[in-house]
Amino acid sequence: VQLQASGGGLVETGGSLRLSCAASGFTLDYYAIGWFRQAPGKEREGVSCISSSDSDGSTYVAESVRGRFIVSRDNAKNTVYLQMNSLKPEDTAVYYCATDKVPGGSCPVEYGRYRYWGQGTQVTVSS
Protein backbone atom coordinates (compact mmCIF):
# COMPACT_ATOMS: atom_id res chain seq x y z
CA VAL A 1 0.00 0.00 0.00
CA GLN A 2 1.62 3.20 -1.16
CA LEU A 3 0.59 6.75 -1.87
CA GLN A 4 2.68 9.11 -3.92
CA ALA A 5 2.12 12.84 -4.13
CA SER A 6 3.59 14.72 -7.06
CA GLY A 7 3.19 17.88 -9.07
CA GLY A 8 4.78 20.40 -6.77
CA GLY A 9 7.17 23.06 -7.93
CA LEU A 10 8.05 26.73 -7.95
CA VAL A 11 5.37 29.13 -9.10
CA GLU A 12 4.81 32.87 -8.91
CA THR A 13 2.09 34.48 -6.83
CA GLY A 14 -1.22 34.10 -8.61
CA GLY A 15 -0.12 31.01 -10.46
CA SER A 16 -1.55 27.50 -10.44
CA LEU A 17 -0.37 23.98 -9.81
CA ARG A 18 -2.11 20.63 -9.86
CA LEU A 19 -0.97 18.05 -7.38
CA SER A 20 -1.58 14.37 -7.92
CA CYS A 21 -1.95 11.60 -5.39
CA ALA A 22 -1.48 8.19 -6.98
CA ALA A 23 -1.94 4.86 -5.26
CA SER A 24 -0.36 1.49 -5.71
CA GLY A 25 -1.61 -1.64 -4.07
CA PHE A 26 -5.15 -0.44 -3.57
CA THR A 27 -7.97 1.45 -5.26
CA LEU A 28 -8.35 5.04 -4.11
CA ASP A 29 -11.98 5.19 -5.14
CA TYR A 30 -13.08 3.20 -2.09
CA TYR A 31 -11.54 5.53 0.49
CA ALA A 32 -11.55 9.08 1.70
CA ILE A 33 -8.36 10.90 0.70
CA GLY A 34 -7.03 13.90 2.53
CA TRP A 35 -4.55 16.58 1.51
CA PHE A 36 -2.34 18.21 4.10
CA ARG A 37 0.49 20.69 4.10
CA GLN A 38 3.31 21.59 6.41
CA ALA A 39 5.28 24.79 6.20
CA PRO A 40 8.67 25.17 7.90
CA GLY A 41 8.26 25.64 11.62
CA LYS A 42 4.52 25.06 11.51
CA GLU A 43 2.24 22.19 12.31
CA ARG A 44 0.77 20.05 9.59
CA GLU A 45 -2.65 21.32 8.60
CA GLY A 46 -5.51 19.81 6.70
CA VAL A 47 -6.18 21.38 3.33
CA SER A 48 -8.81 19.27 1.68
CA CYS A 49 -10.55 15.92 1.70
CA ILE A 50 -12.63 13.93 -0.76
CA SER A 51 -14.97 11.19 0.36
CA SER A 52 -15.05 7.75 -1.17
CA SER A 53 -17.24 7.19 -4.18
CA ASP A 54 -19.12 4.58 -2.13
CA SER A 55 -20.25 7.31 0.25
CA ASP A 56 -21.41 10.57 -1.28
CA GLY A 57 -18.14 11.66 -2.86
CA SER A 58 -18.39 14.94 -0.97
CA THR A 59 -15.44 17.25 -0.63
CA TYR A 60 -14.10 19.45 2.10
CA VAL A 61 -11.78 22.41 1.61
CA ALA A 62 -10.20 24.38 4.45
CA GLU A 63 -11.32 27.94 4.83
CA SER A 64 -7.81 29.24 4.16
CA VAL A 65 -7.89 27.85 0.61
CA ARG A 66 -11.60 27.83 -0.12
CA GLY A 67 -12.42 29.26 -3.51
CA ARG A 68 -8.86 28.64 -4.71
CA PHE A 69 -8.26 24.90 -4.25
CA ILE A 70 -10.35 22.12 -5.72
CA VAL A 71 -10.07 18.40 -4.95
CA SER A 72 -11.22 15.77 -7.42
CA ARG A 73 -10.79 12.15 -8.47
CA ASP A 74 -10.01 10.33 -11.68
CA ASN A 75 -10.95 6.77 -10.87
CA ALA A 76 -9.71 5.46 -14.21
CA LYS A 77 -6.24 6.69 -13.26
CA ASN A 78 -6.57 5.76 -9.58
CA THR A 79 -5.55 9.30 -8.76
CA VAL A 80 -6.82 12.17 -6.64
CA TYR A 81 -5.96 15.72 -7.65
CA LEU A 82 -5.60 19.00 -5.81
CA GLN A 83 -5.97 21.90 -8.20
CA MET A 84 -4.43 24.98 -6.62
CA ASN A 85 -5.22 28.35 -8.16
CA SER A 86 -4.40 31.93 -7.22
CA LEU A 87 -1.48 30.71 -5.19
CA LYS A 88 -0.04 32.91 -2.46
CA PRO A 89 3.36 32.87 -0.73
CA GLU A 90 1.66 31.55 2.40
CA ASP A 91 0.71 28.42 0.46
CA THR A 92 4.38 27.47 0.40
CA ALA A 93 4.70 24.10 2.12
CA VAL A 94 5.27 20.41 1.61
CA TYR A 95 1.98 18.88 0.55
CA TYR A 96 0.97 15.35 1.50
CA CYS A 97 -1.90 13.07 0.65
CA ALA A 98 -3.14 10.46 3.06
CA THR A 99 -5.92 7.98 3.71
CA ASP A 100 -7.35 6.08 6.64
CA LYS A 101 -8.12 3.25 4.21
CA VAL A 102 -11.54 2.68 5.72
CA PRO A 103 -13.90 1.43 2.99
CA GLY A 104 -16.68 3.84 2.22
CA GLY A 105 -15.07 6.58 4.24
CA SER A 106 -16.40 10.13 4.15
CA CYS A 107 -14.90 13.48 5.01
CA PRO A 108 -13.97 14.91 7.33
CA VAL A 109 -11.64 12.26 8.72
CA GLU A 110 -10.13 12.77 12.13
CA TYR A 111 -6.42 13.50 11.73
CA GLY A 112 -5.34 10.61 13.96
CA ARG A 113 -7.13 8.12 11.75
CA TYR A 114 -4.96 8.76 8.72
CA ARG A 115 -2.69 5.74 8.51
CA TYR A 116 -1.11 5.87 5.07
CA TRP A 117 0.82 8.89 3.90
CA GLY A 118 2.52 9.84 0.69
CA GLN A 119 6.06 11.18 0.76
CA GLY A 120 5.11 14.80 0.13
CA THR A 121 5.75 17.24 -2.67
CA GLN A 122 7.22 20.72 -2.24
CA VAL A 123 5.21 23.73 -3.34
CA THR A 124 6.98 27.08 -3.34
CA VAL A 125 5.18 30.28 -4.22
CA SER A 126 7.41 33.26 -4.89
CA SER A 127 6.29 36.79 -4.11
Side-chain angles (χ1 to χ4, degrees):
V1 174
Q2 280 192 321
L3 290 173
Q4 183 169 356
S6 62
L10 174 64
V11 65
E12 294 182 346
T13 295
S16 297
L17 284 173
R18 188 178 76 163
L19 305 184
S20 300
C21 178
S24 59
F26 68 104
T27 302
L28 284 178
D29 187 24
Y30 298 142
Y31 310 104
I33 305 298
W35 283 99
F36 296 82
R37 66 185 181 185
Q38 188 165 19
K42 295 188 177 181
E43 293 186 353
R44 190 169 296 185
E45 66 168 331
V47 175
S48 186
C49 179
I50 184 166
S51 300
S52 70
S53 297
D54 288 344
S55 62
D56 59 2
S58 61
T59 60
Y60 163 82
V61 179
E63 186 174 351
S64 59
V65 301
R66 198 165 295 159
R68 300 188 296 122
F69 289 13
I70 301 168
V71 61
S72 63
R73 293 180 180 273
D74 185 335
N75 294 332
K77 295 183 178 179
N78 202 27
T79 300
V80 169
Y81 299 103
L82 184 68
Q83 178 67 43
M84 306 187 298
N85 302 318
S86 302
L87 284 162
K88 306 175 181 180
E90 52 263 44
D91 294 320
T92 295
V94 177
Y95 284 71
Y96 302 87
C97 58
T99 183
D100 60 355
K101 208 167 176 294
V102 172
S106 60
C107 303
V109 176
E110 183 182 339
Y111 179 80
R113 288 175 48 198
Y114 284 99
R115 298 171 55 200
Y116 300 94
W117 291 81
Q119 85 288 2
T121 184
Q122 175 70 48
V123 171
T124 303
V125 185
S126 63
S127 56

